[in-house]
Amino acid sequence: MSRVRDVVIDAWSYLNYKPVFSDALGMPNRRVFPEAHATWVPDADERRLAAYKLLTAYDNNQAAELAAASGDVHAEDRREFGDPSMFIETVMAHVLGREQTITVPGADHDGDNPDAQAAMAGRVQELLRGWAETEQLAMRIQQCERKAVSLGDGVYRLAWDPGKNRPTVRVHDPGLYFPVIGEDDDSGEYPTRVHFAWELQADPKRGLQARIRRITYELDWIRPATAVGLDQAGRSVRAPIPVEPVDPSMIGATGETPEPPPPPLSPGDIYSPETGAISRQYVWNDAPSYVTCYLTDATWNIGDIKGPADVDSLPLDAATFATRGDGEVLDHLDLLIDFMPIVHLPNTVPPAEEHWGQSTLAKILQVLDELAGSDTDSSRASATTGSPIIGLWGKAADGRGKASMEVAPGLMLELGEGGGMNTVDTSRNLAELRNQVTGLHERAATVGRIPAVAMGTLDPSKLPSGYALQLSLGPLDALVSSMRLARDHKYALVLKMVQRLFLAGQHPDWAGVQPQPASLTFGPYTPTDKDAVLAQVTAGVEGGVLSLETAVRMLADAGFPIDDVEKEIEQIQSRSFSKAKDLADATGDTAAVGTYLGIKVTPDPAPPAIQLPPVPGQQAADPAAGDPAQGSGGNE
């Protein structure tokens, strides 16, 4: 009986057409993907790890190398000219836009006297932007987005660094990321336990065996305080702090034993004798919490692992725990936070009850294979076109005959009677192959929703109008909107964790700060008609239907070099003398005019009293004696 092939449909089934990825049982080739078949890798993650490696090979022009390793004898002759990498870079550039800006709602307030909420929002926004500059967040975003767009997933890991006195952000390959998702858990929800695990190769020079390193973050109930200690095997571990036993002399005459002392607690923890639970008041929460995050960093020698064990069930009694720079052993170390500082970034919105995103190459991978095949055929055809195949018959004039000879420019052959020559013309085949390559490029752009104008392969002069350009970018708009939707909540979560880590680390600049909802705003990605935007803004402000604040923000979004909206508004107003005059005429308030212009205006002194000329025949009035026109005594 013929063996029935298992059809596997999952987040990576778009790779099933490749024999190297899916055998008769739907599993990846063991020789090509040995990492995916490691004994500690869970069965559910084998196809995911193999998919990451295969997608990375496409990105690095090594797909043919993997195919050759699986036994394809013709794969080594295949040409790969970087089309997958071009698609990845293009999509990433459009998703991120020209710049990325941290924004806090209410921070860009109007007026010089903001309320307390607006002032707090402005302070948090300034602190976050300063941290992003110091931490080089823009570079971290590029690193993670490169992983997410090409592989389908990216991972951020945050931590408080006592030496740098700030939160740090690191990007991890998703192949090291192993979330623990139970059968009854919603895959779309945040897991409560996450592992980062990888193998370390043996180092005979240093006497090191092959090892497995695993870093684990886990949310669990708050336990009694622990301290660094040694176990019976001499390993550094965290052990419970001993509690003083009850003194027998304290037992009363009735024989009642007094209540045992509470367990050792971390500073600020509260113990409830009725329930035995320990709570903690975090500065960012209104109510006490009973949950904290524990960190474990352990290493195993692969030879010490006996029996079946995956990444989640590695025996801790055979592990060696790492020690942090401050001497703390990373064995269920309480991080004093009630969240896991890990953010998984999917490239696309995951399907319902799914956890993983999908690579940008997923829908166009077969087109890219066809494109590589056409490029290979074109390369072969161009070789025969440049150096054609020549057929020669007849003997040379000197009577000598040759079965074959090399043809070079300027070579003259003199043939005898009845001789002749013919060539094989492959130029038509080459032209057809080039048309095929162009057609496959268009097909890939259509399926991937990346129009030619976005790829930079379209002559701008061929577009009839700006409206036609906008219509051609419709598929790209939908693609970018969907991908940004998958990212909005994730980057808001990163900024939320950064604020909480600053508060947990008791940074002096964050004293008294209340965490604010912050987001990462991506800049525009499509060409903008700056002249049209400028005309629209000018007409709106002059017509009184747009505020100056809105107008300046529109100009900044259109790509005008405006770094600070408020400062730009102040500079505009400081030169608007005609509007300042109108303000003075309308209010008569000199102080308001000075505030508008951003300068100190000194009010004009009171005008002197009007002095009328004397009436003819009368003497000039003495100013000290008063106005004679008002009358005085008997002189009328």
Side-chain angles (χ1 to χ4, degrees):
M1 295 179 61
S2 61
R3 191 172 186 178
V4 179
R5 180 185 179 91
D6 290 344
V7 178
V8 180
I9 300 178
D10 56 11
W12 304 277
S13 55
Y14 59 87
L15 292 168
N16 284 351
Y17 76 98
K18 301 188 75 65
V20 68
F21 183 78
S22 182
D23 59 12
L25 299 178
M27 300 308 295
N29 188 294
R30 289 183 173 272
R31 184 173 62 178
V32 179
F33 305 105
E35 308 88 354
H37 294 281
T39 57
W40 57 271
V41 173
D43 296 341
D45 292 296
E46 291 183 4
R47 286 170 56 84
R48 177 173 69 91
L49 300 186
Y52 290 157
K53 184 174 182 178
L54 185 55
L55 292 169
T56 303
Y58 271 93
D59 189 13
N60 295 329
N61 291 344
Q62 291 181 292
E65 186 176 345
L66 283 186
S70 66
D72 187 349
V73 295
H74 302 291
E76 295 181 353
D77 297 331
R78 177 159 295 192
R79 299 290 188 268
E80 298 178 81
F81 295 148
D83 294 288
S85 179
M86 178 187 63
F87 274 92
I88 292 171
E89 297 287 352
T90 301
V91 172
M92 185 181 71
H94 285 85
V95 169
L96 293 180
R98 287 192 287 267
E99 70 278 332
Q100 303 84 45
T101 307
I102 296 176
T103 58
V104 177
D108 295 329
H109 53 79
D110 300 333
D112 295 328
N113 297 314
D115 55 17
Q117 182 64 28
M120 181 60 67
R123 181 182 178 187
V124 171
Q125 178 175 277
E126 181 181 0
L127 290 173
L128 285 176
R129 289 180 176 179
W131 166 82
E133 183 70 22
T134 305
E135 187 58 21
Q136 298 182 352
L137 183 62
M139 183 186 69
R140 306 296 182 191
I141 292 174
Q142 291 275 348
Q143 293 174 341
C144 192
E145 289 291 346
R146 193 67 170 72
K147 296 285 186 181
V149 174
S150 60
L151 305 181
D153 303 284
V155 183
Y156 288 107
R157 183 165 67 98
L158 294 88
W160 173 258
D161 191 327
K164 296 180 179 179
N165 199 27
R166 70 170 188 267
T168 57
V169 179
R170 295 296 179 264
V171 176
H172 288 277
D173 190 287
L176 311 179
Y177 171 66
F178 295 90
V180 179
I181 302 174
E183 295 181 355
D184 298 330
D185 296 340
D186 185 355
S187 299
E189 294 293 333
Y190 209 75
T192 58
R193 186 163 68 253
V194 167
H195 304 294
F196 290 93
W198 62 96
E199 286 193 15
L200 301 171
Q201 299 297 325
D203 189 352
K205 295 182 179 179
R206 299 170 57 189
L208 297 176
Q209 304 177 23
R211 292 152 293 152
I212 300 173
R213 185 178 179 186
R214 189 190 73 181
I215 301 175
T216 302
Y217 291 85
E218 182 177 12
L219 291 177
D220 204 349
W221 302 113
I222 300 176
R223 306 189 189 106
T226 59
V228 178
L230 298 176
D231 64 358
Q232 296 180 353
R235 298 181 308 161
S236 296
V237 296
R238 301 200 67 82
I241 299 177
V243 180
E244 295 183 4
V246 177
D247 189 355
S249 62
M250 299 298 294
I251 300 177
T254 60
E256 295 181 356
T257 303
E259 294 184 0
L265 303 176
S266 299
D269 288 357
I270 302 174
Y271 173 70
S272 174
E274 294 80 8
T275 62
I278 301 175
S279 62
R280 182 179 299 161
Q281 180 63 60
Y282 296 101
V283 67
W284 50 82
N285 289 341
D286 296 331
S289 175
Y290 295 88
V291 177
T292 188
C293 181
Y294 294 97
L295 170 63
T296 303
D297 187 348
T299 304
W300 289 263
N301 289 329
I302 295 181
D304 295 340
I305 301 176
K306 308 299 182 182
D310 61 15
V311 67
D312 190 47
S313 60
L314 293 172
L316 290 178
D317 56 355
T320 301
F321 300 103
T323 302
R324 205 167 59 179
D326 56 359
E328 294 287 357
V329 177
L330 303 183
D331 172 21
H332 294 86
L333 175 66
D334 190 348
L335 296 181
L336 303 178
I337 54 177
D338 62 344
F339 59 92
M340 226 169 0
I342 298 169
V343 177
H344 167 241
L345 181 70
N347 182 49
T348 57
V349 177
E353 300 182 355
E354 291 291 340
H355 187 77
W356 308 103
Q358 193 174 74
S359 170
T360 297
L361 303 180
K363 298 296 189 296
I364 61 174
L365 209 57
Q366 295 192 46
V367 183
L368 295 177
D369 281 343
E370 293 289 337
L371 190 57
S374 297
D375 286 334
T376 303
D377 294 339
S378 298
S379 178
R380 293 171 178 171
S382 63
T384 58
T385 300
S387 300
I389 302 174
I390 300 176
L392 184 67
W393 63 88
K395 293 184 178 180
D398 56 3
R400 293 178 299 173
K402 294 183 179 180
S404 63
M405 63 179 61
E406 293 184 0
V407 179
L411 178 66
M412 183 182 69
L413 299 175
E414 183 179 357
L415 303 178
E417 183 178 356
M421 183 178 64
N422 198 359
T423 61
V424 178
D425 184 9
T426 61
S427 59
R428 295 182 179 180
N429 297 338
L430 179 59
E432 288 298 325
L433 286 171
R434 289 178 174 175
N435 292 335
Q436 172 74 355
V437 170
T438 302
L440 289 173
H441 269 291
E442 295 176 354
R443 173 65 67 85
T446 302
V447 175
R449 294 188 290 176
I450 310 174
V453 63
M455 297 288 293
T457 58
L458 179 66
D459 186 358
S461 62
K462 294 183 178 179
L463 286 171
S465 64
Y467 182 70
L469 172 62
Q470 192 67 28
L471 288 178
S472 67
L473 291 174
L476 180 63
D477 292 339
L479 174 66
V480 172
S481 297
S482 176
M483 296 179 68
R484 287 186 175 182
L485 177 63
R487 289 158 168 76
D488 288 342
H489 172 68
K490 300 297 184 178
Y491 283 111
L493 193 59
V494 169
L495 298 176
K496 180 179 180 180
M497 291 180 180
V498 169
Q499 296 180 65
R500 291 186 173 186
L501 288 174
F502 265 119
L503 295 176
Q506 299 180 357
H507 194 284
D509 293 343
W510 287 75
V513 171
Q514 297 178 356
Q516 302 291 315
S519 60
L520 188 69
T521 304
F522 300 107
Y525 60 91
T526 55
T528 304
D529 190 348
K530 293 186 177 181
D531 293 336
V533 174
L534 182 60
Q536 181 183 14
V537 165
T538 303
V541 173
E542 292 180 352
V545 297
L546 281 180
S547 66
L548 186 58
E549 291 76 13
T550 301
V552 174
R553 291 192 186 97
M554 291 176 62
L555 294 176
D557 293 340
F560 285 85
I562 299 176
D563 297 329
D564 191 326
V565 174
E566 292 185 4
K567 185 176 180 181
E568 188 72 18
I569 293 173
E570 293 175 358
Q571 292 177 347
I572 293 174
Q573 291 179 344
S574 66
R575 296 169 176 82
S576 301
F577 300 110
S578 60
K579 294 185 181 298
K581 181 177 179 298
D582 295 339
L583 178 62
D585 295 340
T587 63
D589 189 349
T590 306
V593 175
T595 302
Y596 180 85
L597 294 175
I599 59 176
K600 184 177 180 181
V601 178
T602 302
D604 295 334
I610 299 176
Q611 300 290 332
L612 298 177
V615 178
Q618 294 183 354
Q619 295 180 352
D622 186 0
D627 188 355
Q630 303 296 327
S632 61
N635 187 12
E636 297 183 359

